Amino acid sequence: MVDRHAQLRLDGTEHELQIHEPTIGNRGLDISKLRGTTGDVTYDPGFANTAGAKSTITYIDGGAGILQHRGYAIEDLAANATFLEVAYLLLFKKLPNEAELSVWKDSVRNHTLINEEMKRFFDAFPRSAHPMAILSSATTASSTFYEEFLDPTDEASFHESALRLMAKMPTIAAWSYKKSIGMPYTYPKNSLGYVENFIHMMFHIPAVEESSIDPAIAKALNVLLVLHADHEQNCSTATVRGVGSSQANLFASVSAGIDALWGPLHGGANQRVIEMLQNIVDDPDATATSMIARAKDPNDSFRLMGFGHRVYKNYDPRARVLRAYADEVLDAVGITDPLFDIAKELEQTALEDDYFIERKLFPNVDFYSGLIFRALNIPTRMFTVMFAIGRLPGWMAQWKEMTEDPDTRIMRPRQIYVGDIDKTYVPIEDR
Ligand code: ACO
């Protein structure tokens, strides 16, 4: 590859910045030596213009609405792959053949139980506990049961802990829901597939005769998980990498990612979208038009949830898949949802509005995912948990890539200090 440089002219002096070439997409101007040679730092709030890593996992062209994992288009994966296959692709860098997939499925299946002592941990939370809080706490708490697998520099330990997280996350998630409704925890049933097992743990009630799992529901859940599997350097993934860069273990790093995902500007938006749509149904004064007007009002902090994206300046390809799929799912489960009609009306109104057109604000994955989760009977407060189950393989693949990258350094941004200096301590009685 040709060694290319960019010139930066600063206070009359030329500085050479190495250019890192991508396979496709943005080139990277290397400013890592800038402070050393000039004493200056770059300023980039939210790291909106900063690449924190070179990565081979996920490619996004936000302008064209393209998303690929290890070179495979998300539309192709959503139509053809199971979630465990996509997890394998992300973690092991290739699609598994039949034998590899079979071993992978069996390995995950072998670890679905969580330690019995963890039951007391679930018991300790109040009934009202948000399942994301339980998920994050239980994830980091799991590290206490696997202290032998916590060395972030050890390849075998990574595999053991990644396997356990993949296997146990649905169990923890389902138990966090059972806790919230005061029902007994349902143990995993390893004759079932990954998605079916999760449905079983969520909805099985010991006193009730077991019913078979609707394949249409399992298929829809599989598609949802595939669509959430990775999304390059988003807020939660950057958090997982950042926490991991201090050589914190995988459980702790993923737990931090779950916390970052919880926020309403990130994964928490899927819950907020449904609450927003429900508000339009419940409040006679709220309409699609009035919501759009509020979102545009600079004096109102309200934002149209499920709209806009840091990277996509076009329709989020995941939202496109889900919008098309929502009709099919609603048909398959035999329900009509007034919120879906409102969502479509809201989308149409926003897409024709100058404010949204000028800012290139389109529906993101969270706009339609909640409607499908709802159709599958997943309670609203569990939506972001579903996102977390889906995103787990991406977080772990990114964490692994970070530990293998010779360029990795502990994440430690600089600042531009704008506060006071050299003040003299004033005794409390004189303040
Ligand atoms: N409703 C109304 N206005 C919006 C919205 C929205 N949903 N999103 C962005 N804007 C406006 C901003 O006010 C800003 O306008 P201005 O230029 O007049 O100040 C402009 O569009 C650019 O927005 P930023 O906030 O600068 O964009 P940023 O990249 O920082 O934020 C984000 C992206 C957080 C996703 C934002 O679009 C948002 O808050 N959306 C709603 C929450 C949401 O759906 N989050 C899920 C994202 S997808 C995911 O995480 C899985």
Side-chain angles (χ1 to χ4, degrees):
M1 201 171 281
V2 191
D3 191 19
R4 300 177 59 198
H5 290 82
Q7 268 74 43
L8 172 72
R9 197 172 170 78
L10 201 62
D11 301 331
T13 307
E14 293 265 344
H15 299 274
E16 290 219 316
L17 305 179
Q18 194 193 340
I19 298 178
H20 295 277
E21 298 286 349
T23 318
I24 182 171
N26 305 126
R27 297 182 303 175
L29 308 187
D30 190 334
I31 48 93
S32 59
K33 306 273 185 299
L34 193 66
R35 187 178 165 279
T37 52
T38 68
D40 293 319
V41 296
T42 51
Y43 181 58
D44 184 19
F47 304 121
N49 202 69
T50 296
K54 291 180 190 161
S55 183
T56 62
I57 302 171
T58 291
Y59 169 65
I60 300 176
D61 180 336
I66 291 172
L67 168 60
Q68 297 185 355
H69 298 315
R70 302 222 184 261
Y72 296 97
I74 192 64
E75 294 82 358
D76 203 3
L77 294 171
N80 298 304
T82 64
F83 177 58
L84 280 188
E85 256 182 294
V86 174
Y88 189 102
L89 171 69
L90 294 170
L91 288 165
F92 302 106
K93 309 178 186 177
K94 68 181 202 70
L95 281 172
N97 61 29
E98 259 180 56
E100 288 163 337
L101 184 59
S102 166
V103 171
W104 171 234
K105 280 195 211 159
D106 284 346
S107 310
V108 171
R109 209 178 296 217
N110 279 339
H111 293 285
T112 51
L113 278 172
I114 50 181
N115 193 296
E116 269 309 279
E117 288 183 83
M118 281 283 280
K119 259 190 178 170
R120 294 208 300 277
F121 181 85
F122 283 84
D123 290 343
F125 285 99
R127 273 276 295 274
S128 58
H130 195 287
M132 282 298 275
I134 302 183
L135 190 72
S136 161
S137 317
T139 300
T140 202
S142 297
S143 67
T144 62
F145 295 92
Y146 305 106
E147 296 218 320
E148 67 278 32
F149 302 136
L150 301 187
D151 178 358
T153 62
D154 179 42
E155 176 90 18
S157 292
F158 170 77
H159 286 291
E160 295 299 339
S161 39
L163 197 57
R164 279 162 181 78
L165 277 166
M166 273 307 290
K168 294 175 201 308
M169 188 72 84
T171 315
I172 295 171
W175 284 24
S176 72
Y177 169 58
K178 284 297 175 86
K179 164 79 199 181
S180 75
I181 54 169
M183 283 281 181
Y185 310 121
T186 299
Y187 286 98
K189 195 172 174 186
N190 287 350
S191 56
L192 297 173
Y194 192 83
V195 165
E196 291 81 355
N197 208 353
F198 174 70
I199 296 170
H200 165 71
M201 290 187 285
M202 278 288 288
F203 300 114
H204 174 65
I205 299 170
V208 176
E209 198 63 35
E210 197 151 349
S211 57
S212 59
I213 290 161
D214 184 344
I217 291 185
K219 183 185 162 205
L221 209 46
N222 182 70
V223 170
L224 281 159
L225 295 182
V226 167
L227 290 177
H228 286 91
D230 191 53
H231 212 237
E232 52 119 304
Q233 309 309 318
N234 56 84
C235 178
S236 56
T237 302
T239 301
V240 169
R241 278 181 173 260
V243 172
S245 75
S246 75
Q247 299 197 345
N249 66 70
L250 186 65
F251 294 92
S253 305
V254 167
S255 169
I258 293 169
D259 291 331
L261 187 73
W262 192 3
L265 297 190
H266 190 15
N270 56 15
Q271 175 179 336
R272 299 295 178 96
V273 169
I274 295 298
E275 288 165 358
M276 176 181 77
L277 297 175
Q278 190 64 53
N279 187 28
I280 299 180
V281 172
D282 296 343
D283 178 356
D285 295 331
T287 59
T289 313
S290 72
M291 287 294 176
I292 302 279
R294 280 194 65 193
K296 287 160 53 174
D297 181 353
N299 300 316
D300 190 334
S301 62
F302 173 80
R303 285 191 164 194
L304 201 58
M305 298 316 284
F307 253 77
H309 199 277
R310 170 63 59 78
V311 180
Y312 292 118
K313 302 302 165 199
N314 198 331
Y315 216 100
D316 179 336
R318 302 165 299 173
R320 197 185 295 284
V321 171
L322 286 177
R323 190 188 198 281
Y325 193 45
D327 272 324
E328 189 184 323
V329 174
L330 293 179
D331 270 358
V333 297
I335 59 166
T336 48
D337 187 349
L339 297 199
F340 187 37
D341 297 330
I342 289 170
K344 285 196 276 196
E345 187 193 337
L346 201 53
E347 178 193 325
Q348 187 64 28
T349 316
L351 292 181
E352 287 167 1
D353 190 290
D354 283 347
Y355 175 96
F356 287 82
I357 295 169
E358 279 159 20
R359 289 167 181 76
K360 297 190 167 66
L361 300 172
F362 291 85
N364 59 52
V365 66
D366 292 321
F367 195 69
Y368 285 110
S369 63
L371 287 160
I372 304 188
F373 286 136
R374 233 167 95 87
L376 306 183
N377 245 341
I378 308 279
T380 312
R381 274 158 60 97
M382 282 293 288
F383 289 179
T384 316
V385 170
M386 302 308 300
F387 192 150
I389 298 174
R391 183 54 54 85
L392 177 65
W395 285 331
M396 297 196 297
Q398 298 271 355
W399 187 92
K400 182 76 166 53
E401 188 176 69
M402 178 273 304
T403 62
E404 288 171 345
D405 185 347
D407 286 351
T408 293
R409 300 172 75 190
I410 185 169
M411 191 193 70
R412 204 305 184 187
R414 294 281 176 171
Q415 65 168 11
I416 298 166
Y417 180 68
V418 292
D420 297 336
I421 52 160
D422 295 342
K423 292 175 108 174
T424 304
Y425 179 78
V426 182
I428 195 157
E429 60 277 13
D430 297 338
R431 283 177 224 158

